[in-house]
Amino acid sequence: MDIKDLIVDDRDRGVFRVHRSCMTSAGLFEQERERILDRCWIYLGHESEVEAPGDYRRRTVAGRPLFFIRGKDGQVRVFLNSCPHRGAMICRRDAGNAGVLQCFYHAWSFSTDGDLIGVPGEDAYGPHFDRTEFCLKAPPRVDSYRGFHFVSFNPHVEDLVTYLAGARDYLDLVVDQAEEGMRVVPGSNRYTIKANWKLLAENSLDGYHLLPTHRTYVDYIAGFGTDDSGDTVSARPPGAAKALGGGHCVSENISRNGRPIARWHPIFGEEARERISLVRRRLVEKYGEERTYRMADTSRNLLIYPNLLIMDFVAISIRYIEPVAPDRMEVTAWHLVPREESGPALATRLDSYLTFLGPGGFATPDDVEVLESCQAGFRATEAEWSDISRGMLNPSPGTSDELQMRGFWRQWHAHMQGRNTTNVQDR
Ligand code: FES
Ligand code: FE
């Protein structure tokens, strides 16, 4: 099938369909690597993961082994995790601190800024041996926005801020919630899903599945009752789904379930009420009612195209999807918290995160099971199309419509055909 025919996008009839070979074909998976993962900005990690000089983190990003490390000068640098001598992976642990990086194969050693500083028996190489030819290599492009570090393997990619388009404002909404900046809680949860990576990009934005798939969670929260005193949301319009340009999309909800940032709910316990209202007051003083409302009373699932999600609802989580094979992805999730939070406030937030998104939470196991079920269902190749038409004729799409998923797919389809841009005025 020709790539241009993989998606049916009929705006007059309100029909949007994706051919299921997009999730199963090895050929398309290879083309995605070249046309998407090798061309876009891809998330690497958060600045707070490497606070002290010498702190490092190892990652696999768009198939490449990488690590990032904070140098003695305070700067974060990113390197390909492949020894310039003969290729061994220099960084052999996921996290740690090092003053010098020594390769375990022939013991060449490197400074934290990537210079080759030690070669056992160096005189055997003769007078033309030049250490500067063997520095650690960085990916072609490296940049960060408000603590979020990205890399690109495309030397000609646009600058990161331009690339982020309308998603930038939503990242600001996350970072501005903290008084002293955000930090990643040490540790992560990592899991493999036997399904195509795009299914999780879709699912993370899919409001339509919440009630049927996560009924247990919805009932559990409802069991705590609601807090309508000082109601700040009932007169507001319902949530919205938006395409933000460049394939980035958001589904934004009114939060009736409470947010550890500045919206109390009975599940947090009576003792948290005063503390949360103090945070809210601080936010109103600093940003005004309207922006505080957006931070505290709405929640959002943000997709930064192609494979990063910021889930800013019960708590804040960063979810990175690494495509591994047409029918396999590896997911890593981190928990992002305001630096100033500790003690009971932090405990409340961690608990909210784990209850819904943790490995044994109410949501993650459901979603893993459902995505693996879709992937298994794709073996019935006679059923060729998946439908993502919901709300396509709705002039102001809601969060259980599917505009946000179409925005992702339209950008994917444009990239796969060698085009670069999509229209923000999606529907
Ligand atoms: Fe690293 Fe030889 S491969 S020192
Ligand atoms: Fe879900």
Side-chain angles (χ1 to χ4, degrees), residues 82-90 102-110 116 118 120 125:
S82 179
C83 182
H85 181 220
R86 288 238 276 283
M89 291 210 266
I90 290 167
Q102 188 176 63
C103 178
F104 78 117
Y105 197 179
H106 309 93
W108 284 22
S109 46
F110 303 86
L116 177 61
Y125 284 100

Side-chain angles (χ1 to χ4, degrees), residues 203-204 206 209-210 213-214 356 363-364 366-367:
N203 166 270
S204 305
D206 179 347
H209 83 291
L210 181 72
T213 308
H214 304 306
F356 194 60
T364 297
D366 295 344
D367 286 322

